Amino acid sequence: MCTSLSDFHSWVIESAKRAGRRLSISGHAGLRHGAAGAVPTLVAMESPAVELIDLVKRYGGTTAIDGLSLRAERGAVTAVLGPNGAGKTSTVEICEGFRTADAGTVRVLGLPPGRSALRPRVGVMLQAGGVPPAARCAEWLRLVSRLYARPLDCAALLSRLGLTEHARTPYRRLSGGQQQRLSLAAAVVGRPELVFLDEPTAGLDPQARHACWELVGELRSAGVAVVLTTHHMDEAERLADHVVIIDRGRVVAEGSPASLTGAERQLRFRARPGLGLDELLNALPDGSAAKESPAGHYIIEGQVGPELLATVTAWCAAEGVTADDLRIERRTLEDVFLELTGRELR
Amino acid sequence: MTDSRATALDFTPAPAAAPFGRMVLAQAGAEVRATLRNGEQLLLTLIIPVLLLVGFSLAPLIDIGGGSRIDFLAPGVLALAIMSTAFTGQAIATGFERRYGVLKRLGATPLSRAGLLLAKTAAVVAVECVQVAVIVAVALALGWRPAGSPLAVLQALLLVLLGTAAFSGLGLLMAGTLRAEATLAAANLVYLVLLGAGGVVFPLSKFPAGMRPALELLPISALTGGLRSVLTGGAALPLGALAVLAAWAVLSLGLAARTFRWE
């Protein structure tokens, strides 16, 4: 039972971190130990799309990746979530072969990254750029497609991503969203087995974002493994089979979106800020928690049922306030994310 | 995004690289198109050389110390054209490709670095062919009468080839180490200095005697001098010029290979 807001907050963080650790360990305990000693045999078998074991990357004195382990399965969508500077892009760029790890094991489709044999098999969408500003949209896609033996039809792909009417537009004159879509098209045009998408929907309008999600869904159905980084929780929740939350270069939680958000439900409502929560907590059964975050937004966690609801409304009546916008809902991935990685701005 | 459902695409993985030759050809074609479409590049590779050729051959602005002005100028302008494409143009284009992440992105395609460099070389040679065709046509129209023996042409080709290698090495050395803006400035500056001091339009004999031995070691001087002696006099193989160019090629390509940063 927590009596103050800050106690409550640290309790949530601690328990979520415990849950996160439990999740990541229970998910892969056997594999980790097995994989470390059995890399050669993994190559022969159907290896995972990506396997990282105890990855370390330092830039000068700063440790960007600090013993990170993760596994992305084939034919599945793996979302890597994390605040700015958590090590997402570094991790992905090591897998893509653009950077080398300082320590740890990296296997991409069973091979060390950067192997020329991997190049046709892996599609890459950089976080930004990668296209000559003067190159025309269709020309660039055609050039990339001609580097592969059995590429997708460029015209169909452009049309699919709504770029047909911009086919002759130079890259620098495309909008940010159009540039992103062209980079996405170039990442998949060679019909890869695995694609890395670094923040694929950053800067996209809602229509383009949905089109991108649809495409990722189709890649998955076609058996392509997708590893994407994102800041958007709804994106991860919606697209990913497996979510990996990283912070300060380490995995803080991983699992399916459902397993991360858990079965726990919350009661949320809005009311005048600064209501005394102590009395409410006294009235609630043990194991419940209440917090106001941000001001005027109240969240009650515990055995959410008729009794709890009755207790809360009785307390509201005693305080002389009307609970506004009262909802019972599951925790979102965003809640989990903020609990794990904190609310401070980075 | 109105047509997002219109086209069915089969994303089933079917990964394989295109044949090496086709990849190189595709990339080289894209580079040639980019060069010919770029206004500043055209100014550098075609317009300035042709203007110099026409201007200095028609107006008696320079004293070449006897002989036909066009016979003196045409080889020099050919050398300048080679330098503008292999060195200046290539350095600037590659510098900005690095800055815009194009080299990085291409590094994630099946096109290997060797393939990319081969494509760049092929594109440079293709643009040089266009330049040589235009400049030779203009020079002939202005009354140029070069030594046209097969041997002279072969020797000129050898000089152009070594010159291209030397200037490409210098251009890539710059593009792979400096910031794109610094490359832009430095490549233009070097172009101007070498244009002035490399015997392109001003004969080296006009410089103080003490400077001449040093100037003759510049790659541009070796190329202009070599081309001039082969195309004007039909002289024997200009071994000195070839040696200077070969030395620059080995040095600059070697250094570029060691220092080039792709990102």
Side-chain angles (χ1 to χ4, degrees):
Chain A
M1 182 80 188
C2 308
T3 45
S4 80
L5 271 178
S6 62
D7 275 355
F8 173 77
H9 196 67
S10 50
W11 171 78
V12 169
I13 291 174
E14 279 318 304
S15 53
K17 280 188 176 155
R18 273 197 303 277
R21 253 179 244 130
R22 208 166 50 238
L23 266 173
S24 71
I25 291 165
S26 66
H28 291 312
L31 267 173
R32 274 194 190 163
H33 300 295
V39 169
T41 49
L42 272 174
V43 178
M45 298 184 311
E46 179 79 329
S47 44
V50 175
E51 183 163 43
L52 306 177
I53 304 163
D54 299 329
L55 188 67
V56 175
K57 177 73 190 171
R58 296 184 199 92
Y59 299 107
T62 28
T63 303
I65 306 177
D66 185 13
L68 185 144
S69 299
L70 72 80
R71 193 180 153 95
E73 297 298 339
R74 291 183 185 236
V77 177
T78 303
V80 180
L81 280 174
N84 286 331
K88 299 188 296 294
T89 297
S90 289
T91 304
V92 167
E93 294 208 334
I94 286 170
C95 297
E96 291 164 342
F98 292 134
R99 294 171 200 283
T100 47
D102 292 316
T105 307
V106 185
R107 287 290 177 274
V108 177
L109 299 170
L111 295 168
R115 285 291 168 88
S116 60
L118 280 175
R119 286 159 147 227
R121 300 171 66 190
V122 177
V124 165
M125 176 180 177
L126 300 178
Q127 204 175 90
V131 185
R136 293 181 181 159
C137 181
E139 235 172 45
W140 174 252
L141 187 60
R142 189 160 316 277
L143 166 63
V144 176
S145 80
R146 286 177 67 196
L147 305 177
Y148 298 88
R150 292 181 290 269
L152 294 172
D153 180 57
C154 288
L157 191 53
L158 285 176
S159 139
R160 183 49 187 285
L161 286 167
L163 291 169
T164 304
E165 56 192 286
H166 307 289
R168 293 183 54 78
T169 309
Y171 180 75
R172 66 165 170 269
R173 286 214 221 104
L174 295 173
S175 74
Q178 288 159 355
Q179 294 181 341
Q180 289 283 94
R181 282 182 267 153
L182 178 58
S183 299
L184 177 61
V188 302
V189 72
R191 302 182 67 184
E193 289 169 65
L194 164 64
V195 291
F196 290 103
L197 310 175
D198 200 353
E199 299 192 8
T201 58
L204 293 191
D205 60 23
Q207 286 84 350
R209 205 144 63 103
H210 279 268
C212 170
W213 288 347
E214 213 170 90
L215 196 99
V216 170
E218 270 176 64
L219 289 170
R220 179 179 175 275
S221 315
V224 180
V226 180
V227 175
L228 59 89
T229 70
T230 182
H231 287 300
H232 298 295
M233 306 300 140
D234 53 338
E235 185 163 297
E237 206 155 6
R238 193 166 178 142
L239 284 181
D241 300 292
H242 189 68
V243 174
V244 182
I245 301 181
I246 68 177
D247 190 21
R248 300 191 167 89
R250 302 184 71 92
V251 173
V252 292
E254 65 177 301
S256 66
S259 75
L260 281 174
T261 51
E264 267 179 71
R265 293 191 301 172
Q266 310 172 319
L267 181 75
R268 290 166 173 261
F269 62 92
R270 287 189 294 148
R272 171 161 53 77
L275 298 176
L277 288 171
D278 290 357
E279 271 174 54
L280 174 61
L281 282 167
N282 284 331
L284 288 171
D286 277 0
S288 308
K291 64 174 172 176
E292 182 185 356
S293 168
H297 292 251
Y298 295 87
I299 301 169
I300 319 296
E301 283 177 341
Q303 292 294 97
V304 178
E307 262 179 70
L308 186 133
L309 190 58
T311 313
V312 171
T313 42
W315 170 75
C316 285
E319 295 276 335
V321 297
T322 312
D324 214 7
D325 197 14
L326 189 141
R327 286 171 293 157
I328 292 172
E329 54 186 32
R330 210 165 51 89
R331 288 201 306 168
T332 63
L333 202 49
E334 185 145 351
D335 298 326
V336 177
F337 182 82
L338 290 173
E339 282 157 15
L340 290 171
T341 60
R343 286 187 173 275
E344 320 84 69
L345 295 176
R346 312 249 171 121
Chain B
M1 312 292 310
T2 48
D3 47 3
S4 72
R5 271 265 146 239
T7 345
L9 286 161
D10 180 10
F11 291 108
T12 313
F20 184 74
R22 216 174 78 197
M23 290 196 282
V24 171
L25 216 60
Q27 177 62 27
E31 302 230 355
V32 171
R33 268 198 304 279
T35 307
L36 297 182
R37 198 183 280 153
N38 183 316
E40 298 102 76
Q41 293 269 35
L42 272 188
L43 183 72
L44 201 71
T45 52
L46 271 180
I47 298 171
I48 291 178
V50 169
L51 283 179
L52 287 176
L53 186 66
V54 175
F56 281 97
S57 65
L58 295 183
L61 297 170
I62 46 162
D63 172 17
I64 57 156
S68 139
R69 272 204 300 273
I70 186 69
D71 283 355
F72 173 82
L73 279 168
V77 168
L78 280 173
L80 177 74
I82 301 302
M83 175 174 78
S84 68
T85 297
F87 170 69
T88 321
Q90 183 162 232
I92 295 170
T94 308
F96 278 95
E97 276 174 1
R98 186 161 75 96
R99 144 89 165 272
Y100 290 128
V102 177
L103 297 180
K104 179 179 177 180
R105 178 63 186 85
L106 286 173
T109 68
L111 181 65
S112 60
R113 285 177 179 182
L116 178 63
L117 288 178
L118 196 60
K120 285 192 170 296
T121 307
V124 164
V125 169
V127 173
E128 285 176 355
C129 288
V130 175
Q131 290 176 295
V132 168
V134 171
I135 289 165
V136 167
V138 172
L140 289 175
L142 290 168
W144 184 37
R145 294 294 170 262
S149 71
L151 184 65
V153 172
L154 212 68
Q155 289 176 346
L157 278 182
L158 187 61
L159 283 161
V160 165
L161 220 63
L162 273 180
T164 301
F167 283 123
S168 292
L170 289 170
L172 293 175
L173 179 61
M174 210 173 246
T177 48
L178 301 180
R179 277 184 311 114
E181 291 80 0
T183 298
L184 177 71
N188 280 317
L189 182 70
V190 170
Y191 173 85
L192 278 179
V193 169
L194 293 189
L195 165 62
V200 176
V201 288
F202 310 111
L204 285 186
S205 55
K206 299 288 162 198
F207 286 89
M211 283 175 74
R212 247 175 278 157
L215 292 182
E216 273 161 9
L217 289 178
L218 292 174
I220 185 69
S221 316
L223 189 55
T224 46
L227 284 178
R228 209 164 267 148
S229 71
V230 165
L231 293 174
T232 310
L237 199 61
L239 287 175
L242 287 173
V244 169
L245 289 175
W248 277 102
V250 168
L251 199 72
S252 63
L253 286 170
L255 265 178
R258 278 166 175 274
T259 58
F260 200 94
R261 282 173 302 156
W262 295 80
E263 244 188 87

